[in-house]
Every structure is written in structure tokens, then in C-alpha cells.
Amino acid sequence: MPNFEPLQNAIPLAPLKIAALEGCRDFANLVNSHLVDYRHLNPTHQVGNIAYQGYCEDTYLVECACPRFGSGEAKGIIRESIRGCDLFLMVDVCNYSLTYSVCGYENHMSPDNHFQDLKRIISAANGKARRINVIMPFLYEGRQHKRSKRESLDCALALRELVDMGVSNIITFDAHDPRVQNSIPLQGFDNFMPTYQFLKALTHSVPNFSIDNEHLMIISPDEGAMNRAVYFANILGVDMGMFYKRRDYSTIVNGKNPIVAHEFLGDSVEGKDVIIIDDMISSGESMLDVAKQLKDRKAGRVFVCTTFGLFTDGLEKFDEYYEKGYISKVVTTNLHYRRPELLERPYYLEADMSKFLASIIDSMNHNVSINHVQSPTEKIHKLLAKYHSR
């Protein structure tokens, strides 16, 4: 149950509306259902009062679309009034399952296509909304967050473009490097972490899961995931270790320097269950290599927790490593598109983020502090107390 107390003494900024682009409609429906439940079952305001018009609705979703011409060009359409509303736009730039036709050829939607569609819907809003907020769980071009030599700085440019179009707040999850928000210092940028949802999925689904220093250890697969691992280890009261990637900087393969080896820093993992935590699985090569090395060091069960599971090279390698016992579970969120066959794998667990995002939207619509939803520490302590008592 979300904490409604901060909302009781705050007035919504404007009537709430959610415009979900085609790539994330299913997830948006889940978020919308939670919002409807919040405001119908536990209304924090007088529903009949004209000051709270639009507060209690049967749905907050706005019908929108980006139809395309035969040449592949498109336009954005919002099919109902959004005048004076607090508009939240939801986009999943990772949904490659959508296709469109270009002169008779079928193209799959790329992150660039999704970002262009987002800008089309913002343009279709045409300055009528009271405020525009963008919910982009996987931050567009978030992996190109810094410049080295003669390179484009794509993520910063994209954020600047959204702000120039009138976007007030950008909500994302587990940004590859949240310092990219420095490109828009005067605008709202919120980066949320799914730590609580990871732990909830593991405690509800994994038998004999012991959360103590004798039986569990947190592993960072590289130096970039250190902050996530340190927080997780500290709040659970367990040890942590890390790998660092030794790369061959003389060559470039698929846009990056290939990894020569993973070197481990930390205490013994022998006999302990380990949780490898990171922001994403792209091809999964690094994650699988880390899992194998941990098993070679006589670790117990290996649980992989990542916010985004892209699996760009397919699932075959993960199937193989699961059959060999190198990995026991792979946990990802439902913030992005996941191929249907992944959901059927015996090792897959979903960390549901829809209720969490609904709480974020509700709090932002009331213009109250989101610290009570942003910091999962209290919720994790309650979950741990309940788990240990059980």
C-alpha cells in the first residue's frame, strides 16, 4: 500500500493524463490500473469538488498515435483534449518488435524511431498542456553519455532537445550514468532504482534464500556498477566483491574495446549465494563470464539482477549456462519490451515496476516530495523483517 499521507495536504497541479506511445501500452495499462485503484479506493481529496475536477477518473490514458505514410514519414496525433492537464508521456525506446512499412519493405522500430515519435506527440500537444513530463525508463542514448575525442554526445543533445520543446520533468530508471542530467541543470531529472523490487522478486520466488553475511554476497560485474552493489550490500548487511574488465584498447569490435579478462577483487565466495547486480544485460557476454568465474570459485547459486534485459545476442547462451548450473535466476524489470520466449524460461523472474511508477506519477502530480517513493530503504527493512519472521 503506498503512502498517501503526503498527498492529503497537497492539491494536484492539474488533471492527470497519460499518453503512452505504442511501444509501452501494455505496461502503461498496468500503471493506469494502479492509479485508478489509488484514487477510487483511497481518495485523498473530495471527488465532487470542482477544484479537483479530473481527480477520480475511470482511466487516465489518452489515445494517441503516430501513423506513417508509405514513404516511412510519420505524424503525431492526440485524439482528445489535453488542455490544462498534467501530461505524462511514456515511451519505450527498446521495443524493437514494432514494425512499419517503407516503400513496401518492413522496418523494425529503432530507438531513433521511438525518440522521433516522442517528439511528434510533444509537438501534437502544441503547448496546450499545463505541464509535460516524459517517462523514459531506458534513457535514450544513455550509453553515449560522455565524449571521448571526436564523438557525438547523443544523450545530452537528446535531453536538451526535449527541454527546448517544453518538457519540464524527465523520469528514468537506473541511468547508465545519471551525471548526464548536468546537461539540463534547470529542469527536473529523476533517476529511480529498482533495488526493492529485485529483493522482493528473489525473496518471493527463491527457496532457502538466506540473507546474512554467511550465506550471501553482492557482486559488481565492473567498476561502473559499484554504487549499486555498495548500496545493496550495505542495506542487506552482507559482503561485496567486484570484477574489473581488462580490455584490449588496440582494437574495436562492435563499437567497443573487447574484454580480455575479468579480474576479481573481494573475499571468498565459496559456498555462498551471490547476486550480480548491474543496469543492463546487452549481449550478456560479460555477465555470463562473471557468473562462470564465480562458479569456478565454488560459489553457490548465482542470481543475476539487471534493470534492463535486452539480450541482443539471443537467449541460447543463457539457456546453456542455466543447464550447466552457472546461473540460477535472471531478474529484470518490466519497464521495457521483453521477447515472449524470455518470459517462458525457467530461470527468468520479473520485477514488477508498475505500482512503483504509479506512486511516482501520483506524487509528481501533487507536486509533493517524492523522497518517500524514491528511497527504498524503509521498504527494504520492512520486507527483510517480514521475511526473517517468516
Side-chain angles (χ1 to χ4, degrees):
M1 179 67 67
N3 182 12
F4 292 107
E5 185 178 349
L7 310 181
Q8 293 174 347
N9 299 318
I11 299 175
L13 175 77
L16 173 63
K17 294 288 185 182
I18 300 173
L21 275 71
E22 186 178 358
C24 61
R25 296 262 166 87
D26 291 340
F27 181 64
N29 285 328
L30 294 175
V31 174
N32 178 63
S33 297
H34 288 303
L35 283 168
V36 171
D37 288 345
Y38 290 169
R39 296 191 171 188
H40 281 75
L41 300 178
N42 298 279
T44 55
H45 303 292
Q46 300 175 12
V47 177
N49 192 324
I50 193 171
Y52 302 108
Q53 185 179 8
Y55 171 75
C56 240
E57 298 288 341
D58 293 332
T59 182
Y60 299 98
L61 293 174
V62 175
E63 189 177 354
C64 63
C66 290
R68 291 184 178 269
F69 302 100
S71 61
E73 298 166 290
K75 62 179 177 181
I77 301 173
I78 299 177
R79 293 197 167 98
E80 57 186 270
S81 174
I82 54 163
R83 185 177 294 276
C85 75
D86 192 11
L87 183 63
F88 287 80
L89 300 175
M90 294 180 62
V91 58
D92 176 13
V93 299
C94 295
N95 193 338
Y96 57 86
S97 69
L98 302 180
T99 60
Y100 63 95
S101 179
V102 180
C103 300
Y105 294 94
E106 186 179 58
N107 275 11
H108 283 264
M109 293 278 285
S110 72
D112 293 341
N113 296 132
H114 287 294
F115 186 69
Q116 286 299 119
D117 281 354
L118 171 65
K119 293 194 293 183
R120 291 181 177 109
I121 297 300
I122 295 173
S123 177
N126 199 21
K128 301 299 189 295
R130 173 76 178 275
R131 183 176 67 179
I132 296 178
N133 314 274
V134 168
I135 300 172
M136 189 186 298
F138 186 95
L139 190 61
Y140 173 69
E141 291 290 356
R143 300 172 77 179
Q144 187 52 30
H145 60 282
K146 61 183 179 181
R147 174 181 285 159
S148 177
K149 299 181 179 178
R150 289 180 294 277
E151 294 180 340
S152 58
L153 199 55
D154 295 49
C155 191
L157 286 174
L159 294 177
R160 287 297 316 164
E161 196 168 4
L162 292 178
V163 166
D164 290 342
M165 294 186 73
V167 174
S168 299
N169 297 296
I170 296 170
I171 299 107
T172 191
F173 288 82
D174 205 351
H176 195 66
D177 188 344
R179 290 176 297 181
V180 74
Q181 66 185 286
N182 294 336
S183 63
I184 49 169
L186 300 181
Q187 251 59 41
F189 183 97
D190 291 292
N191 180 46
F192 297 94
M193 305 296 289
T195 314
Y196 169 73
Q197 285 75 15
F198 286 157
L199 190 59
K200 186 177 179 181
L202 288 171
T203 55
H204 281 68
S205 304
V206 177
N208 303 319
F209 184 62
S210 299
I211 306 175
D212 59 61
N213 203 34
E214 298 298 321
H215 299 91
L216 185 66
M217 192 167 177
I218 309 299
I219 301 296
S220 170
D222 55 37
E223 57 276 16
M226 275 291 292
N227 289 338
R228 302 177 184 90
V230 167
Y231 173 75
F232 211 176
N234 284 341
I235 202 167
L236 297 182
V238 300
D239 285 337
M240 68 154 289
M242 72 161 286
F243 285 84
Y244 70 90
K245 299 173 181 176
R246 197 147 47 86
R247 295 181 179 270
D248 179 5
Y249 288 98
S250 63
T251 58
I252 296 178
V253 179
N254 293 329
K256 57 186 179 181
N257 302 107
I259 299 169
V260 176
H262 284 93
E263 305 291 348
F264 182 66
L265 300 174
D267 291 335
S268 172
V269 297
E270 184 174 352
K272 294 184 178 181
D273 290 340
V274 294
I275 298 176
I276 308 173
I277 188 165
D278 206 356
D279 62 332
M280 74 173 73
I281 293 173
S282 183
S283 65
E285 177 186 347
S286 297
M287 196 68 73
L288 292 173
D289 187 42
V290 166
K292 183 178 183 302
Q293 290 206 38
L294 288 169
K295 292 298 287 186
D296 290 342
R297 288 176 167 82
K298 300 181 180 180
R301 294 172 294 183
V302 176
F303 307 112
V304 177
C305 294
T306 63
T307 308
F308 306 103
L310 305 182
F311 301 98
T312 56
D313 286 352
L315 300 172
E316 291 76 14
K317 198 73 173 176
F318 282 84
D319 296 340
E320 177 190 341
Y321 272 51
Y322 173 70
E323 291 169 3
K324 290 180 177 179
Y326 293 146
I327 57 174
S328 296
K329 294 291 181 183
V330 176
V331 187
T332 76
T333 68
N334 58 344
L335 290 167
H336 65 297
Y337 171 76
R338 294 153 299 156
R339 59 183 72 191
E341 55 266 31
L342 172 65
L343 308 182
E344 300 171 357
R345 292 299 197 267
Y347 53 81
Y348 179 72
L349 287 179
E350 175 189 280
D352 182 22
M353 301 293 291
S354 58
K355 193 172 184 179
F356 184 37
L357 182 54
S359 297
I360 294 169
I361 293 174
D362 206 16
S363 298
M364 294 190 72
N365 180 237
H366 283 78
N367 262 349
V368 299
S369 170
I370 55 175
N371 186 61
H372 64 287
V373 292
Q374 189 173 33
S375 176
T377 305
E378 184 178 349
K379 291 196 293 184
I380 290 177
H381 283 313
K382 289 180 179 179
L383 177 65
L384 291 175
K386 184 178 179 180
Y387 182 75
H388 287 310
S389 66
R390 191 173 63 202

